[in-house]
Amino acid sequence: MLFDARVHEVGDWTVVTIVGELDLATVPQVRQKLHPVTGRNGAHVLIDLSGVDFMDSIGLGLLVGALKRVREHGGELAVVAPGPRVQRLVELTKLDRIIRFVPTAADVVRAPQVGEPAALDHPYPLNSGSGHG
Amino acid sequence: MAEVRLEIPARPEYLSMVRQVVAAAASLEPTFRDERIDDLRIAVSEATTNAIEAHADLNSDERILISCDLGDDRIEVQVLDQGAGFDPAATVPAPDPEAPDRLQWETGLGIPLMRVLADEAEIQSRGGGTAVRLVVYTPAHRRGASPAP
């Protein structure tokens, strides 16, 4: 089963990109990657679920835990979740009232400008302009 | 009524397979919309997750049984575990999003989601384990459903 969770920096934001299914089997791997990120003082963290094709309440719990930790450290959290399956869960649980969901990463993440250091790897498709389906 | 039965080790890596089998069984009924199959996938994932965690709490090697019955007007899934059991009426759901302590809750959404996503969700639990029964009806049955006399 394809699953991947990567962390990369884009400008002021730390982007955590998850691909695959988010459930009891995979959430521990994501939590391990998120923990140091969400614990930084004043961190701007974007969790990108564009590539997540299944999520259940364990995944929702991960988002709630990330928000709690980011807030405790004076940071900010945003989530990209354009897929209808994840959207349905969010609507049913009304978690969009406390978690900031954005249509695309480009809505919050600013690309490095000329003269600024570029992202180390996995540059984010900020200029696609077409969203994620 | 066609039945598919799965007996799985109580380990998280089997969750995905359970969802795939249940979704494949549901898709044999051509009138189920994809959205209803997705709803069932989530509900079954919640029930099976709870079963796996119940076995983990006991450090139990016993297997979890999932049965999937495809009837004329429904798909019915049962998830049986041999965990310690619990009182379904005593479970506390996560508070509303606006509640001051909402962020203290990373759990408490599984059972409410099961109840919302399935047409019927029944939990029977006692000391020897828990049985969760989830039913999703065909669109034709739902259209023809009328209140009981």
Side-chain angles (χ1 to χ4, degrees):
Chain A
M1 182 58 61
L2 173 69
F3 178 79
D4 193 25
R6 294 187 184 193
V7 179
H8 56 281
E9 308 291 332
V10 182
D12 295 335
W13 286 77
T14 302
V15 181
V16 181
T17 305
I18 303 166
V19 175
E21 298 184 326
L22 210 43
D23 63 8
L24 188 67
T26 56
V27 157
Q29 300 172 56
V30 180
R31 191 171 279 129
Q32 196 173 24
K33 298 216 171 187
L34 263 177
H35 195 75
V37 171
T38 52
R40 291 183 203 148
N41 283 333
H44 300 279
V45 180
L46 177 76
I47 300 177
D48 188 346
L49 303 180
S50 303
V52 169
D53 47 26
F54 177 85
M55 186 168 94
D56 59 19
S57 69
I58 301 291
L60 293 172
L62 176 84
L63 299 182
V64 171
L67 177 62
K68 176 180 178 233
R69 193 164 155 81
V70 164
R71 282 191 181 169
E72 285 172 350
H73 292 82
E76 183 182 1
L77 176 77
V79 178
V80 180
R85 292 170 175 169
V86 177
Q87 283 287 329
R88 175 153 168 77
L89 268 187
V90 169
E91 286 165 13
L92 286 172
T93 55
K94 300 173 184 166
L95 282 178
D96 51 342
R97 295 185 186 174
I98 54 171
I99 296 173
R100 181 187 178 196
F101 285 87
V102 293
T104 70
D107 288 297
V108 292
V109 176
R110 186 180 66 90
Q113 303 300 301
V114 175
E116 291 181 346
L120 292 177
D121 68 337
H122 197 310
Y124 216 77
L126 293 172
N127 299 322
S128 67
S130 59
H132 297 266
Chain B
M1 179 177 274
E3 184 185 37
V4 176
R5 289 165 71 91
L6 282 174
E7 202 177 289
I8 63 162
R11 296 212 299 269
E13 56 265 37
Y14 284 85
L15 271 171
S16 183
M17 187 189 70
V18 171
R19 292 193 297 263
Q20 284 182 47
V21 169
V22 170
S27 66
L28 292 174
E29 167 52 57
T31 64
F32 277 133
R33 290 182 297 115
D34 288 347
E35 291 81 1
R36 287 306 283 159
I37 295 176
D38 285 342
D39 289 348
L40 181 63
R41 272 165 32 111
I42 296 170
V44 167
S45 194
E46 300 296 348
T48 310
T49 294
N50 289 346
I52 291 170
E53 291 185 323
H55 281 220
D57 287 345
L58 295 180
N59 205 18
S60 166
D61 291 331
E62 298 291 341
R63 292 181 171 236
I64 293 166
L65 182 65
I66 297 107
S67 66
C68 189
D69 296 330
L70 198 59
D72 290 338
D73 64 347
R74 75 186 71 184
I75 183 166
E76 182 171 325
V77 179
Q78 284 210 53
V79 179
L80 303 172
D81 71 52
Q82 298 180 53
F86 67 102
D87 179 1
T91 56
V92 182
D96 287 338
E98 290 86 356
D101 62 341
R102 178 63 186 86
L103 294 186
Q104 306 304 319
W105 290 71
E106 293 184 31
T107 60
L109 290 173
I111 291 176
L113 276 174
M114 272 190 259
R115 296 195 190 285
V116 169
L117 292 170
D119 292 320
E120 292 176 19
E122 182 185 6
I123 302 172
Q124 292 186 331
S125 191
R126 54 180 186 275
T130 299
V132 177
R133 177 176 159 272
L134 303 165
V135 181
V136 171
Y137 288 103
T138 59
H141 178 98
R142 288 159 66 97
R143 276 195 301 272
S146 56

